[in-house]
Amino acid sequence: MHLLGPPGTGKSHIATALAVETVKAGKSVYFIPLADLIASLAKAEREGTLRERIRFLCRSSLLVVDEIGYLPVTPGGGNLFFQLVNARYEKGAMILTSNRGFAEWSDVFGDPVVATALLDRLLHHAVVIQIEGSSYRMRQHADLLPEHARATPPINPSPLPKRRGRPPTKEKPDPITADHRHKPSRQTREF
């Protein structure tokens, strides 16, 4: 699951609530900001224990990586994060929070190839929730903010990769029971 949106809109709060519910269900959770995660992986790499550290991070049922895009990723950090994502791919659930759209992840990780490989794995089977609005923390002081900081433009996730194989069969809707109202897709929901 990816929670995208400007600062202060509740991404970490939602991720924490989901993590608490996961623990209540008897599952293990590891919650860490991306900068701390990469620092941990870099230290393990320097000490020759990277494989063990990745194995440890793969043990939890849910890994929550918070604050992607808030701080610059150190050189080589994107590769380390990719190794972890690749090790957990289709083996363990992840929740990621970011104030940056997927189109900006090349800048976040400093390498378009790494960003593409990350997104390829992270978006497969993923639910993307885009949260819009102003910061809850700044509501009482909105009049003190400059105009450009009051309302942040929405973060547009990059289009999902095209599916391979046969196209789905098109069933004609029953005109009597067809619901013609717009429904958000299963992949992206806006709140």
Side-chain angles (χ1 to χ4, degrees), residues 101-143:
F102 298 133
E104 298 175 82
W105 279 33
S106 294
D107 297 332
V108 170
F109 290 99
D111 185 342
V113 174
V114 169
T116 300
L118 279 167
L119 290 170
D120 179 63
R121 284 153 183 81
L122 291 171
L123 289 175
H124 188 221
H125 308 302
V127 172
V128 177
I129 300 174
Q130 185 171 329
I131 303 170
E132 297 179 10
S134 300
S135 171
Y136 287 105
R137 297 180 198 104
M138 300 300 290
R139 282 183 292 178
Q140 296 175 350
H141 303 290
D143 57 326

Side-chain angles (χ1 to χ4, degrees), residues 1-6 8-23 29 31 62-67 94-98 127-132 136-137 189-191:
M1 172 181 287
H2 302 278
L3 300 166
L4 304 176
T9 54
K11 300 177 302 297
S12 297
H13 186 80
I14 293 168
T16 301
L18 292 170
V20 167
E21 290 302 312
T22 302
V23 170
V29 174
F31 191 112
L62 174 62
L63 174 64
V64 180
V65 181
D66 197 26
E67 301 176 346
M94 294 180 71
I95 296 175
L96 298 107
T97 70
S98 181
V127 172
V128 177
I129 300 174
Q130 185 171 329
I131 303 170
E132 297 179 10
Y136 287 105
R137 297 180 198 104
R189 295 185 179 108
E190 294 184 12
F191 290 86

